[in-house]
């Protein structure tokens, strides 16, 4: 649904409930917040050897500024007559859609995050999905899964 309105020589085009002028303002506000509070995250990709197998080497793909946050995911398992549900934190990263589109990152790329406190290991998270929040093309919420290789004992 697209409509146009002309006000004193200024042309506004609406997309649903959001005008193009508001779209630019929202993008500017998010970019300002990312500049103020965001952190640069480096995305790494596993290199392949001559046979197309993972070589164990990581190469830097892109660096994107974003806001890290977590959401609750629910894990359920059933055992005969009863079931158990527990919450599990799902890492996410809020980024500008333009940064995501220009970055060239792909699913299964990794981000290594230095943790605060007594834990001396880096948290490794793997990209599993990307959602355009509100379908406005402004911001993308990247979803990750935590990589557990068995060596990260806290």
């Amino acid at each position: 649904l697209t409509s146009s309105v002309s006000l004193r020589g200024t042309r506004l085009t609406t997309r649903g409930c959001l005008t193009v002028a508001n779209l630019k303002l929202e993008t500017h506000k998010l970019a300002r917040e990312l500049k103020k509070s965001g952190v640069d995250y480096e995305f790494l990709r596993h290199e392949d050897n001559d046979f197309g197998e993972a070589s164990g080497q990581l190469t830097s793909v892109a660096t994107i500024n974003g806001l890290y946050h977590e959401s609750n995911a629910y894990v359920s398992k059933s055992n005969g007559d009863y079931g158990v549900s527990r919450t599990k934190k799902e890492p996410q990263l809020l980024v500008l859609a333009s940064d995501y589109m220009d970055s060239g990152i792909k699913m299964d790329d990794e981000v290594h995050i230095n943790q605060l406190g007594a834990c001396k290991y880096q948290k490794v998270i793997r990209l599993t999905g990307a959602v355009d929040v509100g379908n406005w093309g402004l911001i993308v919420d990247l979803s990750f899964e935590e990589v557990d290789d068995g060596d990260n004992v806290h």
Side-chain angles (χ1 to χ4, degrees), residues 26-36 65 96:
E26 294 301 320
T27 304
H28 175 72
K29 287 192 314 189
L30 180 63
R32 186 180 65 214
E33 186 62 32
L34 285 173
K35 188 176 232 181
K36 183 177 93 172
N65 189 283
L96 285 174

Side-chain angles (χ1 to χ4, degrees), residues 50-102:
D50 296 336
F51 303 106
E53 302 166 336
S55 67
Q57 299 293 322
L58 291 172
T59 183
S60 179
V61 177
T63 301
I64 297 180
N65 189 283
L67 291 171
Y68 179 87
H69 63 104
E70 294 177 336
S71 66
N72 288 327
Y74 296 93
V75 178
S76 299
K77 77 176 193 180
S78 60
N79 186 5
D81 295 337
Y82 64 93
V84 176
S85 292
R86 66 172 230 247
T87 60
K88 177 182 172 187
K89 295 291 186 185
E90 182 178 273
Q92 294 182 312
L93 192 61
L94 194 67
V95 300
L96 285 174
S98 57
D99 289 349
Y100 172 70
M101 299 303 285
D102 296 341

